[in-house]
Amino acid sequence: MCYVLNCVSRRLEPTERPLQIVYDYLSRLGFEDPVRIQEEATNPDLSCMIRFYGEKPCQMDHLDRILLSGIYNVRKGKTQLHKWAERLVVLCGTCLIVSSVKDCQTGKMHILPLVGGKIEEVKRRQHSLAFSSAGAQAQTYHVSFETLAEYQRWQRQASKVVSQRISTVDLSCYSLEEVPEHLFYSQDITYLNLRHNFMQLERPGGLDTLYKFSQLKGLNLSHNKLGLFPVLLCEISTLTELNLSCNGLHDLPSQIGNLLNLQTLCLDGNVLTALPDELGNLQQLTSLGISFNNFSQIPEVLEKLTMLDKVVMAGNRLEVLNLGVLTRMSHVKHVDLRMNHLKTVIIDSLEGNKYITHMDLRDNQLTDLDLSSLCSLEQLHCERNQLRELTLSGFSLRTLYASWNRLTAVTVYPVPSLLTSLELSRNLLECVPDWACEAKKLEILDMSYNLLTEIPVRILSSLSLRKLMVGHNHVHVLPALVEHIPLEVLDVQHNTLSRLPDTLFSKALNLRYLNASANSLESLPSACAGEESLSVLQLLYLTNNLLTDQCIPVLVGHPHLRILHLANNQLQTFPASKLNKLEQLEELNLSGNKLKAIPTTIANCKRLHTLVAHANNISIFPEILQLPQIQFVDLSCNDLTEILIPEALPATLQDLDLTGNTNLVLEHKTLDMFSHITTLKIDQKPLPTTDSTVTSTFWSHGLAEMAGQRNKLCVSALAMDNFAEGVGAVYGMFDGDRNEELPRLLQCTMADVLLEEVQHSTNDTVFMANTFLVSHRKLGMAGQKLGSSALLCYIRPDTADPTSSFSLTVANVGTCQAVLCRGGKPVSLSKIFSLEQDPEEAQRVKDQKAIITEDNKVNGVTCCTRMLGCTYLYPWILPKPHISSTPLTIQDELLILGNKALWEHLSYSEAVNAVRHVQDPLAAAKKLCTLAQSYGCQDNVGAVVVYLNIGEEGCTCEMNGLTLPGPVGFASTATIKDAPKPTTPSSSSGIASEFSSEMSTSEVSSEVGSTASDEHNTVGLEASLLPRPERRCSLHPVPTSGVFQRQPSCATFSSNQSDNGLDSDDEQPVEGVIINGSRVEVEVDIHCCRGRELESSPAPPKNSTPCPEEHARGLVLGIRRQNSVNSGILLPMNKDKMELQKSPSTSCLYGKKLSNGSIVPLEDSLNLIEVATEAPKRKTGYFAAPTQLEPEDQFVVPRDLEEEVKEQMKQHQESRPEPEPSEEDRTEPLEEFDTAL
């Protein structure tokens, strides 16, 4: 019996138990409950990660690559003197093997080496190949195959062999336990790759037989779980390269000294603590890899290996670095000690080291580092330590990387005359070191994220400096330039600059990149002193300054501008004549200004491919649809009303964002023109809503996703304002880094998994953890090789803490993060699972003997230590999330979700301060992404901003005395303090779950005759109002209920079964009813509140019928689009057209024909009330509907049927039995009333 794990199958040992293996596997993934582990073990989806077989599984393509065999007609030689005869033919390794006798494998075998030979098609015989060896005495065998499939298989495999220059056989990842028998016929093999198998030591064809390959020079046995060093390998004296990485080796045998020709020995990822002295016999050894073992000191035997020029010991357990030991190794030039436990560096002698040129000390625990004795040091890496002081010798120093420390002083003596690159970012330096100003060959200086207050004149005027990065400091002014300088890149963002040097552009004629974002600039220096500009500036970032229209003429002096970012300034106009001269523009960002229009001369920017101008006051659609290379257009959150489009759109247009334009109406013709666009983002139609809507009262969201400089978007966001039957919300962010498949899958499935897990457990830690683990399993085959960071935020009523209304539970894996703004201060709710920022996770991965490459990636794949997917990297990469829960309070203002790229360029405080006072959450999310791009982000960036309004003023339950409408209308609703601006969510914001009930139009017509009329019905609502339990909102759930229950219900009238609006059983349509086969959805809240007006007025008499005047002040039913992903639950509202028309979100509802499929006119919706009262409830689900209005769509009843409809409704009301009033009802007037339902 065998099992498959990480796509590799292994035979079970007699003592191994399959059930225990599965139990251990699921436990290490993160499941804790034994009962849940048993349930997961029986899930068929688990087979994508681990599965068992009765015998070893074999795949045909794997067998073909190992060995091809069969009995075929064979003819020897190029001439036709020999006859065709049936022989056993085998293609294995580098040779073609032909038996001398049919069906005999024990007799003489003819061997034909194929490396360097050729394979040809025999034209005179069908399905035949001619195999020829290389050399002057080449031999040829003709083989005739029976089928075309066999012919193609042999030709494909043989072609790979003959194309090789050296005899190489790759049998990696085949789950082999022994060497194929026929492989030993290939005596010319020089390199054999058996990586990722389960090779055995003592068995026929095992590792003890590899000495038979007499010419073998290279052998790769990594990842075979050997446990012991194969001693017989030491008899292969021809070996020059041996790889035994990741085999769990504890020691090396003394016989290893017999491999005198060995030049490369790789022992990474084992558990070695010492090396034998016999290793010193390998005088030809030039490369020794002992990284990620358990060495606590540098082995002394390395002193004998005089040909060894590198000591590679990353990921071991060294705590003290003795430079004296390295001094005695005069042959060593490169030292790699990254990811150890180094705390101190000692010098046991005054003798300097003249040999070491490169040293890597990244990711250790050093606090002070003095390497002044290394007088030949050329390059030093010491990032991510805890260094406060650094002392070096400058005789040979060329590059220094010391970012992510706590440096306050860096001393280099003498002045490094050869220094070309200096990186000291993210430290505590208050000034640029003097020796750096005197370095005559310094080309790159990065001192961003420090405490600098000024930039020395000698630095900015340097005649060698080409790249200067001093962003995120406290620089007030830049020194004036007198002489011409060769500076090409200047980054001064996030300082306190109010102006740039007047001669910057005239003296820095080579300047191609300038980023001065996040300063206090009010003007820009002139580009040139004369008439003709010599500027070669191509990239200019000026976002988040105080620039006005006066800076625009200066931009004309940069005719080579390709990328221009002027977002979040104070621009009101952009002169057309100035934009006309920027013909080389490719990307233009004008977001967050006060522009009313984009100049028509933008049509002259023929190379423009990106226009971002959201959050302005633009009312006229710019003339950009005629640009030949336009790809991305973002005009969201403006005042657009219509779009004039040409006859044909550019084929390059891929993304058009028009969300947040509340007055924009798109005709069918326009939508048809936009049909070829890959991503079209438009608003769902605004809904008439009130502040008493449960979901919009407590939270609202906006999201933004931008691809940046990459061709595809690998970030997806999830946003559901109405989740779990309307009592919570879910928001998520998924970042696939380089793949877009997994983020899309998680976006579509993770909310459903959470909804299911919430039903199984009320413990937030349990259901959140299980949500991630189950989502990890559901990725299936897609999750084997691909992975994704994931962040999930769940808001729900807090039943554990009576002092809190809602609780927020956040879970994440990878690098996506969530930040809560509480009282204006950021509160981090997530954890970054990366090797660079989580030492505990890095240690866990090291202990499990993963190989961490120099770019800090697990096996060279990802820097994350926890992800969803990448199951083949188990147990190094796990899906178990970090989970945190916090009760929401009135001080919580907003929640920000972002991917790695967002938080790399924005700090928590800056992100919170940037959007705190932005009323529209969509505009806030857009602003965050725009800031990240302007600050240097070129990767995919995504953000979700959730505005919170948690407080007693948001309560909608009876206990707070909220007024309730009587039979003749509604009283004033509760006022929400600082309620966020209502916005329409993006179409990509997720999938909403909702309660509703559904009835077909035939069912409605059979009961009440029709669902709508042109006049108000004379048969009104029943005046006898039944008592019901006290209504509670989601802020104050009913204490006795274990599960929070939502009260609203809605009626959905579906006519999607036939074109005339009737069920398929109806023979004739209702006369005058016009239906196009879409759906009408009407939602009515059946909550009951205690009305203040009712307390001062007598109760209405029983069985009374409201008069038409009362109906004129009746209910307006909110009609919701079915595909609205974030639609709230609508409540009945006052039908006051004057008030509604004052709101931009509702003014377009009047004077136009509304449609969501077929729509009942608002003023006639009273006739639907009785149907809604009896409609059954429907659980959560997905809905789809047309995304745009169809003006010709109506659902009306003609006037000649009005009387019949009214009469049927009256009969229906009279036929309903009236409840027997109770004794309490006869004695006291009721204080609780049902709504019009």
Side-chain angles (χ1 to χ4, degrees), residues 751-769:
D752 293 334
V753 176
L754 175 61
L755 186 61
E756 182 178 352
E757 293 299 329
V758 169
Q759 308 300 325
H760 295 162
S761 174
T762 58
N763 188 309
D764 50 6
T765 303
V766 173
F767 67 69
M768 268 300 197

Side-chain angles (χ1 to χ4, degrees), residues 1147-1195:
S1147 59
C1148 60
L1149 292 176
Y1150 295 94
K1152 295 183 176 63
K1153 297 179 179 179
L1154 299 180
S1155 67
N1156 179 27
S1158 300
I1159 290 299
V1160 181
L1162 298 179
E1163 63 273 12
D1164 299 326
S1165 58
L1166 277 177
N1167 302 320
L1168 305 178
I1169 295 175
E1170 293 182 70
V1171 180
T1173 59
E1174 300 177 357
K1177 289 186 177 180
R1178 182 181 58 193
K1179 294 185 177 180
T1180 60
Y1182 301 145
F1183 305 94
T1187 58
Q1188 288 298 310
L1189 297 179
E1190 300 177 7
E1192 63 273 16
D1193 236 359
Q1194 295 189 50
F1195 184 27

Side-chain angles (χ1 to χ4, degrees), residues 629-694:
Q629 300 183 22
I630 193 69
Q631 298 178 12
F632 179 88
V633 179
D634 187 350
L635 293 172
S636 58
C637 303
N638 278 286
D639 297 330
L640 295 177
T641 57
E642 60 180 355
I643 299 178
L644 299 178
I645 60 175
E647 296 181 357
L649 295 180
T652 57
L653 186 59
Q654 300 177 4
D655 196 312
L656 177 60
D657 192 343
L658 300 174
T659 54
N661 291 277
T662 56
N663 297 324
L664 179 62
V665 178
L666 298 180
E667 300 178 352
H668 288 290
K669 179 181 179 181
T670 304
L671 292 175
D672 292 340
M673 292 289 292
F674 288 158
S675 61
H676 79 280
I677 301 177
T678 304
T679 304
L680 174 62
K681 299 178 182 178
I682 55 179
D683 283 338
Q684 308 299 327
K685 204 57 191 174
L687 303 173
T689 182
T690 63
D691 290 337
S692 61
T693 301
V694 174

Side-chain angles (χ1 to χ4, degrees), residues 808-863:
L808 171 62
T809 303
V810 178
N812 80 290
V813 292
T815 54
C816 295
Q817 301 178 64
V819 174
L820 178 68
C821 174
R822 172 167 290 175
K825 303 296 182 181
V827 179
S828 178
L829 303 176
S830 48
K831 181 179 181 181
I832 303 177
F833 289 102
S834 70
L835 292 170
E836 296 180 352
Q837 302 188 41
D838 192 339
E840 295 181 0
E841 282 292 294
Q843 186 61 44
R844 178 184 66 82
V845 174
K846 285 168 50 181
D847 292 342
Q848 294 169 345
K849 300 307 174 183
I851 301 299
I852 301 175
T853 53
E854 291 189 4
D855 55 353
N856 270 345
K857 291 186 177 181
V858 180
N859 281 20
V861 177
T862 175
C863 64

Side-chain angles (χ1 to χ4, degrees), residues 237-303:
S237 59
T238 57
L239 276 180
T240 60
E241 181 180 344
L242 178 61
N243 190 336
L244 290 170
S245 300
C246 302
N247 276 293
L249 303 179
H250 289 78
D251 51 38
L252 300 181
S254 59
Q255 291 88 336
I256 196 172
N258 299 333
L259 300 176
L260 299 179
N261 294 318
L262 200 63
Q263 299 177 9
T264 301
L265 178 59
C266 188
L267 299 170
D268 299 330
N270 287 289
V271 287
L272 300 174
T273 58
L275 296 177
D277 293 337
E278 290 77 7
L279 194 66
N281 299 334
L282 309 182
Q283 290 301 308
Q284 296 188 32
L285 194 66
T286 59
S287 177
L288 175 62
I290 52 177
S291 298
F292 300 101
N293 280 276
N294 295 341
F295 291 98
S296 58
Q297 61 183 2
I298 299 177
E300 295 181 359
V301 70
L302 299 185
E303 298 181 19

Side-chain angles (χ1 to χ4, degrees), residues 81-97:
L81 297 178
H82 297 85
K83 296 182 180 180
W84 292 89
E86 288 188 348
R87 294 290 184 267
L88 174 67
V89 184
V90 178
L91 176 61
C92 183
T94 61
C95 298
L96 182 72
I97 307 167

